[in-house]
Amino acid sequence: MTLKIDIDAGSAVAPYEQVRAQISEQARAGVLPVGYKLPTVRGLAEALGLAPNTVAKAYRTLETDGVIETRGRNGTFVAAAGSAAERAAAAAAQSFAERARRLGLDEAAALAAARDALRAVYESRPGD
């Protein structure tokens, strides 16, 4: 199995976002299993014809999202499915719920606001 990323130079989506979205999707779909070693930033940048900073930005975002983890000089690997990402999402949801309650929103209004925000984000980034 190998990492497969296609960069569409004519796309309105930034190259780093294309890299991030494709790695994220492959990891979540199991195409890239937990523990799969990703190419180095420089190696992937060269293979894709991108600047190293572009790939580094994608890797940083993926790491923040809990999709990948860097193990120092050992490299960058696909992280355990969902664990860090699910914890981060749960913390964000908890924070949102507490803020909505402080603002005086009832549960229905808070859910409507969350649905609207999710719809706006997920519909603006197809294929993610």
Side-chain angles (χ1 to χ4, degrees):
M1 125 204 31
T2 59
L3 176 64
K4 182 171 177 357
I5 297 178
D6 295 313
I7 300 299
D8 179 357
S11 174
V13 178
Y16 93 89
E17 176 59 21
Q18 292 181 50
V19 172
R20 186 213 60 80
Q22 291 178 52
I23 291 174
S24 181
E25 175 58 34
Q26 291 177 49
R28 294 194 195 288
V31 174
L32 299 176
V34 172
Y36 177 84
K37 186 173 182 177
L38 293 167
T40 64
V41 166
R42 287 187 190 281
L44 185 56
E46 287 175 16
L48 297 175
L50 298 173
N53 284 344
T54 300
V55 174
K57 183 175 183 180
Y59 275 22
R60 281 192 305 273
T61 304
L62 288 162
E63 190 160 23
T64 298
D65 292 347
V67 176
I68 64 174
E69 59 187 6
T70 301
R71 301 178 191 161
R73 294 181 182 262
N74 291 322
T76 303
F77 300 83
V78 173
S83 58
E86 288 171 1
R87 284 193 304 273
Q94 179 69 33
S95 184
F96 166 78
E98 291 168 357
R99 177 78 191 263
R101 187 170 186 177
R102 282 194 308 274
L103 291 171
L105 297 178
D106 64 16
E107 186 177 339
L111 277 171
R115 271 192 220 97
D116 289 345
L118 287 166
R119 194 173 300 114
V121 169
Y122 282 90
E123 288 177 5
S124 70
R125 293 186 355 193
D128 186 21

